[in-house]
Amino acid sequence: MQPTDLDKYRVPSDAHLSPDGSRAAFVVATMDLEKDEYVRQIWLWDGTESRALTSGRADTSPRWSPDGATLAFLRKGPGDDDKPQVAFLPMSGGEAEVVAEVDNGVSSIAWSPDGTRIALSISEFVDGIEDDEERSRAPRRIAHPSFRFDNLGWLYNTRSHIHILDVATREIAQVTEGEYSESPASWSPDGMSLAYTSAAHEDAWTKPRNQVFVVSSEGGEPEAKTPLGQWNWAGFGPDGALYAVGQECESFTLAPDPFVRVGDKGDITVMTDLDRNLMPGHPPGILAKPRFLADGTVTCVMEDRGAQTVITIAPDGSTGV
């Protein structure tokens, strides 16, 4: 193998099955040695073979509409200042189209159960400066330890909030706001609520604990559903019950995070008693977070001695491989 052979590699990731399970959309990354950059495109596996679906240079996060007719994804333009934007690709044929332009770009997308809306994670500035040129000249006032991140740049003056894209009108409405960022949202089965995690407390920068929140998809005041702790994911089951992966704690802990059910009054029912990690750090995809089946069984990834295994968690808490 020679360095010039690197552009021959194709690295797949972030695979998602179509609603009927017959196809899978995924991201393929290659290297452009001449331009010294990665090229990412959406590919489709039809059950027999795979082929490229998009021709962009930075297409990521493919997500099927509930009826399987549309594939939403994030497309970033070729310019250094371009940001990822939401694009639609009709699966019956046609070209991909960017359907909404957001100043700071979009980092995640999630279809509502009825396919009429999409939850977006969008960053906004919180420094009070409206003009980009003035912002570039202004001195940076760093007040928190986490002020930048590799491949994202400066974070000290931005926060990620949840927005809703109306698929028909293509209008975007903001759902959450404030000084603290929120994780990507999960929809309730009826589409009325969104669950997410956030470290929305004054000591967030020195005591990195967070909570599970639920907010109306129409907007309003979010409601904390768990005490402060280490919460890695929150979402709803098919029966509308709220679930999470994490635990209440005073500070960071290496103890494995269990799968739990969160009651209406914040009571926590631990569903698993495992001495292994759920949701280990691994490439994104259909199993990057717990996935509910129609009967309430959950599939999840467990890490065991460096290997990753898909396990099932039954409604009674019993697990299987």
Side-chain angles (χ1 to χ4, degrees):
M1 177 179 172
Q2 301 296 322
T4 53
D5 294 330
L6 290 174
D7 62 356
K8 296 181 173 64
Y9 282 87
R10 293 176 176 174
V11 182
S13 66
D14 202 9
H16 287 262
L17 286 172
S18 61
D20 63 5
S22 65
R23 298 172 292 174
F26 57 98
V27 178
V28 172
T30 58
M31 299 181 191
D32 186 328
L33 300 182
E34 183 177 343
K35 294 187 176 181
D36 190 26
E37 65 183 19
Y38 285 99
V39 177
R40 294 179 173 86
Q41 296 172 335
I42 309 298
W43 282 52
L44 178 73
W45 177 74
D46 61 9
T48 303
E49 59 183 9
S50 299
R51 60 181 176 86
L53 270 183
T54 67
S55 57
R57 295 186 64 84
D59 296 339
T60 60
S61 304
R63 301 293 185 267
W64 297 88
S65 62
D67 61 4
T70 304
L71 191 70
F73 65 95
L74 297 181
R75 165 163 284 181
K76 181 180 179 296
D80 291 339
D81 295 331
D82 289 335
K83 305 295 183 182
Q85 308 292 349
V86 181
F88 287 169
L89 177 65
M91 297 307 294
S92 59
E95 295 294 326
E97 176 191 8
V98 172
V99 298
E101 293 283 352
V102 178
D103 289 344
N104 291 330
V106 178
S107 59
S108 75
I109 52 179
W111 287 88
S112 65
D114 63 2
T116 63
R117 295 173 292 170
I118 298 179
L120 314 176
S121 292
I122 298 176
S123 292
E124 65 177 23
F125 290 107
V126 293
D127 53 18
I129 302 175
E130 300 296 332
D131 182 77
D132 288 340
E133 184 175 350
E134 180 184 353
R135 181 176 289 109
S136 66
R137 296 194 308 265
R140 296 186 173 98
R141 181 177 181 272
I142 307 300
H144 304 296
S146 301
F147 61 93
R148 63 182 178 182
F149 195 80
D150 286 349
N151 210 34
L152 292 178
W154 298 98
L155 299 176
Y156 72 98
N157 61 344
T158 62
R159 304 291 181 266
S160 179
H161 295 308
I162 298 168
H163 295 61
I164 298 294
L165 167 67
D166 186 293
V167 173
T169 66
R170 300 185 178 181
E171 295 180 350
I172 295 177
Q174 187 165 347
V175 175
T176 62
E177 59 183 12
E179 174 61 24
Y180 307 100
S181 294
E182 296 92 30
S183 69
S186 298
W187 289 89
S188 62
D190 61 6
M192 298 300 293
S193 301
L194 297 163
Y196 63 90
T197 63
S198 178
H201 58 96
E202 294 182 357
D203 297 328
W205 301 104
T206 56
K207 297 179 180 179
R209 296 179 295 162
N210 62 356
Q211 291 171 281
V212 172
F213 289 85
V214 171
V215 66
S216 168
S217 59
E218 301 295 331
E221 188 66 24
E223 181 182 358
K225 292 294 187 179
T226 65
L228 286 170
Q230 184 170 280
W231 304 100
N232 297 318
W233 170 85
F236 296 92
D239 59 352
L242 180 63
Y243 294 85
V245 174
Q247 58 188 299
E248 179 182 2
C249 58
E250 291 296 324
S251 60
F252 172 76
T253 175
L254 293 176
D257 292 318
F259 184 76
V260 305
R261 183 170 58 242
V262 182
D264 292 336
K265 297 181 180 180
D267 49 303
I268 306 297
T269 301
V270 176
M271 303 290 292
T272 59
D273 184 18
L274 302 169
D275 59 353
R276 299 291 187 271
N277 285 322
L278 298 178
M279 293 177 54
H282 56 81
I286 197 169
L287 288 175
K289 57 186 180 182
R291 181 177 176 84
F292 286 90
L293 305 181
D295 63 355
T297 300
V298 178
T299 59
C300 192
V301 172
M302 179 184 72
E303 187 176 48
D304 185 8
R305 295 181 175 87
Q308 296 176 1
T309 303
V310 178
I311 66 169
T312 59
I313 305 171
D316 62 2
S318 59
T319 59
V321 177

